[in-house]
Amino acid sequence: MNGNVRRGLRLSDILVTILISLVLGVVYHFWGSVYGLFKPLFFQADEMMYGMWFAASTLAFLLIRKPGVALIAELAAAHVEVLFGSGWGLSMLLYGFIQGLGAELVFAAFRYRNYTAWAAALAGAASAVGSMFVDIYMAYTDSYVLWMYLAKYSMRIASGAIIAGLLMFALAKALERTGVASLLRPASAKDYAALDDSRDV
């Protein structure tokens, strides 16, 4: 019974997920300025910063560690961007859904039990792959030749793995050290066992 409670999303989980998304949605909105600084360097250099736009899904999951969190977080962050008046309009919601789904599928493949840097990096990369398919669907890259595709999306995937994956993993670990992360998670079976042992003393 405790296992079922731990696995299901509670209202508090959803509210915390939305709060994380709200903060990162604001970051997303202003990240365009950082993104733009890299454009003049070389072809598609700005893609090296693209991974920040996948960060909500990985950070929220690493903190809450429950099914559905990655998808909800990225979609909610996309809504925040739209409310801020993003130049991409409602297409941001499609990006948010597909990017969040990419990360969610990776965590699901690990049965939501892998919280390592490797899993986070893979989830960030999967979000990047998802965004690539939306780009193609929206016909943003119709004029690209093969080397342009390879350059653009290899940098985006690497950025997703590093920024949304490894950087958010490091941030989640930092929050864990402050004790904040433990407040976002229900007690585990190990915690209950330790509590029972203390009562026997």
Side-chain angles (χ1 to χ4, degrees):
M1 182 174 177
N2 288 335
N4 291 333
V5 172
R6 290 197 304 276
R7 298 293 285 177
L9 277 175
R10 303 171 302 175
L11 177 60
S12 59
D13 297 324
I14 296 172
L15 292 176
V16 171
T17 299
I18 292 173
L19 179 60
I20 294 169
S21 301
L22 178 62
V23 173
L24 282 171
V26 173
V27 173
Y28 286 4
H29 179 70
F30 292 104
W31 192 250
S33 299
V34 178
Y35 183 74
L37 291 175
F38 283 74
K39 279 190 175 183
L41 298 180
F42 54 85
F43 175 76
Q44 298 295 325
D46 46 356
E47 293 291 332
M48 296 189 298
M49 295 290 105
Y50 204 100
M52 179 57 74
W53 282 307
F54 313 137
S57 56
T58 50
L59 180 61
F61 177 77
L62 290 170
L63 292 176
I64 300 173
R65 300 181 176 181
K66 285 193 175 182
V69 166
L71 177 57
I72 293 170
E74 192 66 20
L75 189 55
H79 275 80
V80 174
E81 272 201 275
V82 172
L83 291 175
F84 266 95
S86 169
W88 294 94
L90 293 178
S91 65
M92 287 303 308
L93 303 184
L94 177 60
Y95 275 100
F97 176 77
I98 298 299
Q99 290 166 186
L101 182 62
E104 188 74 34
L105 290 174
V106 169
F107 294 128
F110 290 115
R111 301 179 66 185
Y112 300 101
R113 294 176 181 173
N114 191 330
Y115 321 116
T116 63
W118 161 248
L122 196 57
S127 293
V129 172
S131 72
M132 175 185 72
F133 286 114
V134 181
D135 281 357
I136 294 171
Y137 172 75
M138 301 292 284
Y140 292 143
T141 56
D142 281 358
S143 62
Y144 282 22
V145 295
L146 180 59
W147 75 265
M148 291 180 175
Y149 273 108
L150 294 176
K152 181 181 182 74
Y153 292 110
S154 61
M155 285 188 287
R156 184 180 296 187
I157 291 169
S159 178
I162 293 168
I163 297 178
L166 301 181
L167 184 59
M168 291 305 108
F169 175 81
L171 179 56
K173 283 296 183 183
L175 290 172
E176 283 182 357
R177 286 193 290 272
T178 68
V180 171
S182 63
L183 299 175
L184 306 179
R185 302 172 194 151
S188 66
K190 187 176 180 181
D191 295 329
Y192 283 115
L195 183 60
D196 289 338
D197 289 342
S198 66
R199 286 174 178 170
D200 292 337
V201 174

